Amino acid sequence: RDRGGDWSSDVCSSDLSHKRIAEVPIEVIEELRDEVEKLALGYNLLRGLSPHFSALGSKLKYLNVRVNMLTVFPQVASAAFV
């Protein structure tokens, strides 16, 4: 988790890009829940997002999932931004 770096210092962000992640474990989602505003998961091996992903809550404003193995935009990610 990062409260600075390349993003605004007043925003809680987590950059998990380039980690060869195939899925985001529920434990990680629980750790980030209601806290993370920016989540970068780009350049991994994701084929989809767990339904538990919606637990990140309404605070999540930015999600980067580019360059993964997704064939459709995950419905759970769409719900997070409604």
Side-chain angles (χ1 to χ4, degrees):
R1 213 169 319 162
D2 184 13
R3 292 189 185 271
D6 295 336
W7 292 330
S8 174
S9 61
D10 61 342
V11 172
C12 181
S13 61
S14 186
D15 188 350
L16 301 173
S17 301
H18 300 278
K19 305 285 187 202
R20 301 190 55 79
I21 297 170
E23 68 178 72
V24 181
I26 184 80
E27 296 83 8
V28 172
I29 294 169
E30 289 294 321
E31 179 71 24
L32 298 174
R33 186 168 77 177
D34 296 325
E35 189 173 319
V36 70
E37 291 182 39
K38 294 186 175 189
L39 179 58
L41 292 166
Y43 300 90
N44 281 300
L45 304 171
L46 298 172
R47 292 186 181 275
L49 296 176
S50 162
H52 301 292
F53 198 82
S54 62
L56 291 176
S58 61
K59 194 162 184 175
L60 183 65
K61 302 296 182 209
Y62 173 89
L63 174 65
N64 175 351
V65 291
R66 70 177 154 203
V67 190
N68 272 283
M69 303 177 95
L70 303 171
T71 56
V72 297
F73 192 77
Q75 183 176 3
V76 68
S78 299
F81 293 104
V82 173

